[in-house]
Amino acid sequence: MSEQLAMVTGASSGIGEAFARELVRRGYAVILVARRLDRLIALQAELGKGTEVLAADLATEEGMGAVAARLSRGGISLLVNNAGLGFRGLVVDQPEASITRLVRVNLEAPMRLSRGAAAQMAGEGRGTLINVASMGAFQPVPYLNVYAATKAGLLSFTEALADEVAGFGVTVQALCPGNIPTGFQDVAGTKGSRFDRTPSMSAGEVARRSLDAALQGGPTLFLPARMDRISIFAQRFLPRFVARRVAGSLLKSE
Ligand SMILES: NC(=O)c1ccc[n+]([C@@H]2O[C@H](COP(=O)([O-])OP(=O)(O)OC[C@H]3O[C@@H](n4cnc5c(N)ncnc54)[C@H](OP(=O)(O)O)[C@@H]3O)[C@@H](O)[C@H]2O)c1
């Protein structure tokens, strides 16, 4: 029996690690992508020999190129573009380099890898692509500004791509989690904020529910928690400036 092959970026921690575990549980061989090789190797040892490790920094041309090259070898029927990070604070206090890093990892890399994967999958007449956006994609978020802007861009790109490739047997899902306890809060510096106390679910549940929906061919937009759906509903019907102020109040220093 030939095993299906998946690739997960940002597999060294949090939601990506949970996707890798869940995919292996469902019988996939998985290519694990991230920078921290030690963590990838430890996960590979746990998940078994079918697992492959690819250390790459998706903020660099070289890293994006290495992952794209692996994709172009073909055979990958499911890609999770999950690697991502945020920085809390005022934009004016952020070094330009961190803005570049966020735009590359959160937006440029998933767009380029989606393009490569979708072309490959459309050629094979089947495939599943999951792009991890965020609830932050639905309104501007003061104090998590660049992060929310990259996620809004990724959501827009992913939903448009879903329509473009729907006729070729390729399912594209924009996954929009709320606040999930992972390494994200440490990297972004959101610990202790009101955001940190918003409703939450485990990374394992996010991965399970995302794959359940995507492998059934839809819906392309996946909104996990009930509270999140209420909040999306509110965002659609509240004036945009109200949604933005509420989001900013969750991230502002108290
Ligand atoms: N946690 C939340 O509340 C939440 C909510 C909505 C959306 N999300 C999204 O979920 C995704 C996963 O985040 P998480 O919550 O699981 O956070 P996490 O535990 O910090 O994991 C982030 C992953 O991204 C990888 N990564 C970061 N920079 C990278 C780079 N330059 N090159 C390659 N890989 C890189 C990290 O690996 P290395 O450090 O080893 O490179 C790590 O595996 C992100 O896209 C995030 O925006 C998270």
Side-chain angles (χ1 to χ4, degrees):
M1 191 185 83
S2 68
E3 220 173 22
Q4 293 218 73
L5 183 59
M7 175 187 275
V8 180
T9 71
S12 62
S13 171
I15 296 170
E17 184 179 330
F19 264 112
R21 287 181 199 285
E22 185 60 24
L23 283 161
V24 167
R25 200 183 67 78
R26 292 176 191 229
Y28 282 78
V30 183
I31 305 169
L32 310 169
V33 180
R35 290 168 302 175
R36 285 172 290 177
L37 186 58
D38 55 335
R39 293 181 67 115
L40 296 182
I41 288 173
L43 186 60
Q44 179 186 36
E46 184 194 321
L47 295 181
K49 280 213 169 83
T51 316
E52 199 179 306
V53 159
L54 175 50
D57 182 348
L58 290 169
T60 66
E61 191 59 42
E62 190 192 6
M64 281 187 243
V67 180
R70 180 65 190 84
L71 269 174
S72 70
R73 279 169 49 194
I76 295 172
S77 62
L78 191 150
L79 169 65
V80 187
N81 275 313
N82 161 81
L85 74 167
F87 296 125
R88 181 185 180 202
L90 299 171
V91 163
V92 291
D93 290 339
Q94 277 182 26
E96 276 186 11
S98 58
I99 295 177
T100 304
R101 171 167 291 276
L102 257 60
V103 172
R104 286 198 177 149
V105 179
N106 293 0
L107 188 56
E108 183 181 346
M111 278 181 167
R112 286 171 60 172
L113 299 179
S114 292
R115 192 206 71 86
Q120 197 82 39
M121 289 170 183
E124 289 164 13
R126 64 173 193 140
T128 306
L129 174 62
I130 298 171
N131 283 345
V132 183
S134 166
M135 289 292 295
F138 292 94
Q139 72 287 296
V141 184
Y143 316 107
L144 210 55
N145 185 344
V146 180
Y147 175 77
T150 61
K151 294 298 185 178
L154 184 60
L155 177 62
S156 169
F157 170 84
T158 305
E159 290 185 311
L161 180 66
D163 281 0
E164 289 176 11
V165 299
F168 296 92
V170 182
T171 298
V172 181
Q173 179 190 82
L175 173 63
C176 297
N179 176 34
I180 313 298
T182 62
F184 178 87
Q185 291 77 9
D186 292 322
V187 174
T190 59
K191 285 232 158 113
S193 66
R194 285 181 59 212
F195 165 77
D196 212 28
R197 302 193 287 275
T198 54
S200 175
M201 67 174 65
S202 71
E205 188 176 352
V206 171
R208 268 193 310 281
R209 291 175 64 172
S210 166
L211 288 169
D212 282 348
L215 292 171
Q216 281 166 18
T220 59
L221 179 63
F222 184 69
L223 307 168
R226 189 168 169 272
M227 276 304 293
D228 292 343
R229 282 203 288 270
I230 291 168
S231 132
I232 286 288
F233 180 80
Q235 283 155 11
R236 289 275 150 90
F237 292 98
L238 284 175
R240 194 162 157 84
F241 81 89
V242 176
R244 181 178 80 228
R245 295 222 174 121
V246 170
S249 74
L250 297 177
L251 273 311
K252 195 173 183 179
S253 301
E254 288 172 339

